[in-house]
Each structure stands twice: as C-alpha cells, then as structure tokens.
Amino acid sequence: MGALFPRMTAMAGRSAVAVLFAAAIAWPVMTAPAAARGPDGIADVAEAVIDAVVNISTKQTVDMSNNAVPQLPPGSPFEEFFDEFFKNRRGQGGQTPRRVNSLGSGFIIDPAGFVVTNNHVIADADEVSVILNDGTTLKAEIVGRDTKTDLALLKVTPTKPLKAVKFGDSDKLRLGEWVIAIGNPFSLGGTVTAGIVSARNRDINSGPYDNYIQTDAAINRGNSGGPLFNLNGEVIGVNTAIISPSGGSIGIGFAVPSKTVMPVIDQLRQYKEVRRGWLGVRIQQVTDESADSLSIKPSRGALIAGIDDKGPAKPAGIEPGDVIVKFDGRDIKEMRDLPKIVAETPVGKDVEVTIIRKGKEEKKIVKLGRLEDEKQAALTTKKDNADEKPVVKKALGLDLANLTDELRRMHSIKDKVKGVLITAVEPNSAAAEKRLMPGMVIAEVQQQPVSTAAELQQRIDKLKKDGKKAVVLLVLTPNGDPSFVALGLQ
C-alpha cells in the first residue's frame, strides 16, 4: 500500500474472547441497531457495487543474476518469503530469470472496459491482468499512468457487459461519515470493510499534491488501487497507503479523493498523460515571523523564493519576496495549496494572481505554462566580478564577509550568486536553528539587495532602530538555490 513502511507481513492467529460473569449484576440487553457497527445500508451498497471491483494481477521478469532480490511492486503476497528464499539460493548458482506475480485492486469506471488502479500496483510489470469478481481473467493494456498522484488507467476488452461505478464528490465528505472499502487484501479478493472518514486533506509527504482522505476502514496490502465508497455507492476515493508498524491495518488508511482522481483519469483517457499547469516559481511557507516582517496579517499564502527565468511568472511581473494569496479566484491559505491549484488549472489559461508586495496587494495576469516532469527552476543572474578584500561583520549571530574570487573558490560559490557571504554561525543561535551555514550567501535583506557586509549591518541596525521584531533574509546556497529565512531582531 504505498511507501509509508518498507515491508508488511500477513499474520494469522486466533483471537481470544474473555467472558466475565458477575453475580447479582444485571447487564442491559443491546438492541440490534445499537449493537450493529455501522448503518444498515452497508450490505446493500456492497451488493450493488462489488461486481465493479476487480483484482489486478501483474507478472514481472526478474533477473536472478548475482542472487539479486527482485524489487516487487508493493502488495505482493510473496514478499514475506523472498528473504528466506534468496538466503537458501546463495551459492547454488541459480541465475535463470524468473517470473514473479503481484496482486492489487482496482475498479471499473466504464462498461467499455476502463479500469482505475494505483500506479505502484502495475509499476515495472511486463503483463497486467484484470480478474473480475466472478473469476474471469482479462488481459489489460496500460492506457496511462501518473506518478505524482499514484494513479493508473487500464483498458480491457470485455467478453460480456461489465458492471461500472461512478465517482462521487469527495468535497462533500464530512468527518465521521461512513465509508466502505472493497478490494483484494493479502489476495483475499472481494473483501468488504467499513469505517468512517477520520480526516480530510491529509499531507503524508508522499507527493506534491497530497490531500488524502484518512479512514479507519480496514485497508491492508493488496487493497491498493481499490475504491472507497460512500453510502450512495459512489467512489469518493482510491485506497493508496496505510501507516502501520506491524504491516496490518491499525485503522490509519489513506485514499486519493475523487476530486483529485477524476481530472487525472480524464486526461489519461484523453491524452494518455497528465497535462498540468506551471507557474515557474519556487515557494516556501509563510511563517509567523516572516509574515510580521512582510506586513502580512494574518499569516497566509505562498512566499516566492525564486523565479524561473523561462517560466510564466517572470513576464507577468511576479518577483522573489512576493506572497501569493489568491490564484484564479481561489484563496491560498498555506504554501501547499498553491501547487495543487496551479496543477489543476488548464494550460494556457490567463490567470489572475493576487500578490502582496511590501505590504501592498497587487494583481498580476499570468498565462499559465505546462509543467514538465524534468523541468527545474533555473535561477540566473549576471556574473559578479567584484574583487574586494574580505570585511568581516557580526550580525544576527552570523560572521559575514564581502564575496571575493578567493572566497568563491574556497566555498565553490557559482559566479551567478551575489550578496554577502556567511563565514561562521554562532552555535545555539536562531540562525543555527534555521540551518544557516558557512558558505551560504545573503542576497537580500527585507527584499532589498545587499552587496557588502557593511551594507547588511547598516540595514539590520536601521530595522532595529525602527522597532522591527524580525528581518527576512533571502539566502542562496553556493549553487544559487534560494530560500527566505526570518530571524528575530530582539
């Protein structure tokens, strides 16, 4: 189920039930509705949709040379046996390539034979098959896949009419609402479990667009790619990951919400790839310290740390130090909102972007570009040929010096990087806590460029005199990668 743990092992055992009898105590008898776990409609929903839920079987040729252990897609029922198997084979000269199987889950969204599953279920597979609830096996073609949301679309050629299910609106889910998971945990196909929506918009650091539904419906290895239903029989999520120290369900499972799934699947079906919007900025969180220094109240938005020279943001007039608080009419409450909203916006659309610059709100129009997987921000500046003597100054727990050719060579600082060099960081200082290190370069103080240590010191002294509580620094790595750092002045 996802990469939240390295390995899961299926364990079978007997459960012990302790019965306690107490004399002269009368226990109330629970009525059937009170004793039942969940609403009566669960059985009706399961019966109506189970024929649309399928098992995904994959085959992969594994090179056995050098006794290499195959890297199976998560969910393999054989995973627990491989360590012991390969221990026994060491020294026996087994070099012949072997075929290994893996199992997962999926669901039919179109009677014509389109099936949704997780990308990690079919990753690296040589052959993919879809096994229907009645046992029929159909060879599947991979239409397209998206690694960022861990989704894949398959196509089978049905020999008879197929049962399909529809997507519901995950945005309408409420905390505590009942949901049903159906899938193929530990190769036990057609397994139905029920639980509630434990949380929404969970970020588990698995990708740039995390906004998972968390549920306590039992989800295990092999459930990956299976549907999460509401009580109307609509798919409101794709079960993708769990957190578990033991390998089994502990009631913390995650599903990609249908609001994220639907546009991805539509694009995979239409283009066989996903086409996402691209703004061409590097962003970071607006902290309480930086918000105060940037005159943003309350703290919100995405702080622009860098601009791609070839990206759409630069010609629109967006600059480092700007804070994006609204994009295409949607509020940016925190940094991670922006990548998701930009990605969902059509490529080529003229988008109104609201920014805060030096405490004032401005609006910019950006013609959105297309995100390429390999695209990386390329921040370039003019070459700095200054050759001054080092002038050491102390500020904010930092030792600072003017950049010289010799210091550039000593710290491997690229020519495009301009500013004031950090030569030492005082231990246990706020700067040390923010991970500032010797070799980094301060390019701006409070969104104003600085070129000498003396100039930087003067800026700090003036901010203190003006009663400012914090200062925002634009800090560059030796390679020129930028980030904003807020440090207290008191």
Side-chain angles (χ1 to χ4, degrees):
M1 287 297 308
L4 299 185
F5 41 80
R7 178 188 177 92
M8 300 182 80
T9 304
M11 301 182 64
R14 297 177 179 271
S15 61
V17 179
V19 181
L20 177 65
F21 295 95
I25 297 179
W27 294 96
V29 177
M30 295 174 64
T31 62
R37 185 176 187 269
D40 295 334
I42 288 179
D44 294 333
V45 173
E47 184 177 356
V49 302
I50 196 165
D51 285 339
V53 183
V54 301
N55 297 342
I56 307 295
S57 174
T58 68
K59 293 182 180 180
Q60 178 185 357
T61 301
V62 178
D63 183 7
M64 307 292 285
S65 61
N66 300 319
N67 290 324
V69 179
Q71 299 299 311
L72 296 179
S76 169
F78 306 110
E79 191 173 30
E80 61 187 286
F81 305 113
F82 270 125
D83 283 344
E84 191 64 32
F85 175 78
F86 279 93
K87 284 180 184 176
N88 294 336
R89 287 192 57 84
R90 287 191 181 100
Q92 297 181 17
Q95 304 266 335
T96 306
R98 291 180 177 269
R99 302 281 280 173
V100 295
N101 297 334
S102 178
L103 294 172
S105 306
F107 56 98
I108 301 167
I109 60 168
D110 189 320
F114 287 96
V115 177
V116 173
T117 187
N118 278 143
N119 177 62
H120 76 256
V121 170
I122 51 92
D124 302 321
D126 299 322
E127 296 179 18
V128 181
S129 298
V130 168
I131 304 172
L132 304 181
N133 191 43
D134 64 3
T136 302
T137 299
L138 302 173
K139 187 175 181 180
E141 166 200 357
I142 299 175
V143 177
R145 62 178 78 191
D146 180 43
T147 58
K148 288 184 172 62
T149 55
D150 195 15
L151 295 170
L153 181 65
L154 311 178
K155 176 69 169 65
V156 298
T157 302
T159 56
K160 58 183 178 181
L162 298 179
K163 170 73 176 180
V165 287
K166 296 182 179 180
F167 286 108
D169 188 352
S170 56
D171 281 354
K172 294 181 179 179
L173 283 177
R174 298 182 300 161
L175 296 184
E177 182 173 336
W178 281 91
V179 288
I180 305 166
I182 305 181
N184 183 34
F186 301 116
S187 304
L188 301 172
T191 298
V192 180
T193 57
I196 62 170
V197 175
S198 304
R200 293 180 51 196
N201 199 30
R202 281 290 195 221
D203 183 357
I204 59 175
N205 297 314
S206 67
Y209 310 121
D210 281 12
N211 63 335
Y212 288 102
I213 300 166
Q214 181 182 328
T215 178
D216 67 350
I219 296 173
N220 289 285
R221 288 280 196 173
N223 272 114
S224 285
L228 189 69
F229 291 100
N230 61 20
L231 291 186
N232 294 323
E234 300 168 326
V235 178
I236 45 82
V238 177
N239 301 318
T240 299
I242 65 174
I243 291 178
S244 171
S246 65
S249 173
I250 62 170
I252 304 178
F254 301 97
V256 183
S258 60
K259 202 67 177 289
T260 298
V261 176
M262 288 189 290
V264 170
I265 295 304
D266 287 345
Q267 290 199 44
L268 291 178
R269 191 166 178 175
Q270 184 175 357
Y271 306 117
K272 300 187 177 182
E273 64 180 358
V274 179
R275 300 177 180 180
R276 292 186 169 93
W278 178 55
L279 187 57
V281 297
R282 188 192 301 267
I283 61 174
Q284 65 184 72
Q285 187 71 26
V286 178
T287 64
D288 290 338
E289 286 181 327
S290 60
D292 181 71
S293 183
L294 295 168
S295 301
I296 298 175
K297 295 180 181 180
S299 173
R300 66 192 192 280
L303 175 60
I304 306 300
I307 301 286
D308 191 319
D309 280 347
K310 298 181 180 179
K314 186 169 184 178
I318 296 175
E319 301 174 355
D322 292 343
V323 176
I324 296 179
V325 293
K326 185 172 288 188
F327 186 91
D328 200 21
R330 299 169 66 179
D331 290 332
I332 307 299
K333 297 180 181 178
E334 54 183 310
M335 178 190 70
R336 69 189 185 98
D337 292 339
L338 184 63
K340 289 183 289 187
I341 294 175
V342 172
E344 294 168 359
T345 306
V347 176
K349 182 178 181 179
D350 289 327
V351 178
E352 183 178 85
V353 181
T354 302
I355 64 170
I356 294 178
R357 177 181 297 171
K358 298 179 181 179
K360 295 182 179 180
E361 191 173 290
E362 299 181 20
K363 297 184 185 298
K364 305 289 184 182
I365 301 297
V366 179
K367 189 175 186 64
L368 212 59
R370 179 182 171 185
L371 177 68
E372 302 292 345
D373 288 341
E374 295 78 22
K375 190 181 291 295
Q376 296 181 354
L379 301 175
T380 59
T381 59
K382 294 180 181 179
K383 183 176 179 180
D384 179 16
N385 292 318
D387 187 11
E388 303 177 45
K389 291 182 180 181
V391 179
V392 177
K393 292 282 183 181
K394 188 98 173 182
L396 305 174
L398 302 171
D399 286 351
L400 307 168
N402 298 339
L403 265 178
T404 65
D405 290 341
E406 182 180 354
L407 289 175
R408 284 185 183 277
R409 288 191 297 269
M410 184 184 303
H411 295 281
S412 301
I413 298 172
K414 291 189 174 181
D415 291 341
K416 66 182 181 180
V417 175
K418 297 197 299 182
V420 179
L421 177 67
I422 299 174
T423 58
V425 180
E426 184 178 327
N428 302 320
S429 66
E433 291 178 1
K434 296 294 179 69
R435 298 184 180 180
L436 295 184
M437 295 181 290
M440 291 182 171
V441 174
I442 299 174
E444 293 181 4
V445 174
Q446 211 74 357
Q447 299 179 265
Q448 295 294 324
V450 289
S451 57
T452 68
E455 182 183 6
L456 189 150
Q457 182 72 65
Q458 290 170 4
R459 293 274 175 82
I460 298 300
D461 292 342
K462 186 176 187 306
L463 290 171
K464 288 181 177 180
K465 185 178 179 180
D466 292 342
K468 294 290 186 180
K469 296 179 180 179
V471 60
V472 175
L473 308 176
L474 175 59
V475 181
L476 308 177
T477 66
N479 288 327
D481 295 330
S483 62
F484 283 96
V485 176
L487 296 177
L489 292 174
Q490 302 303 319

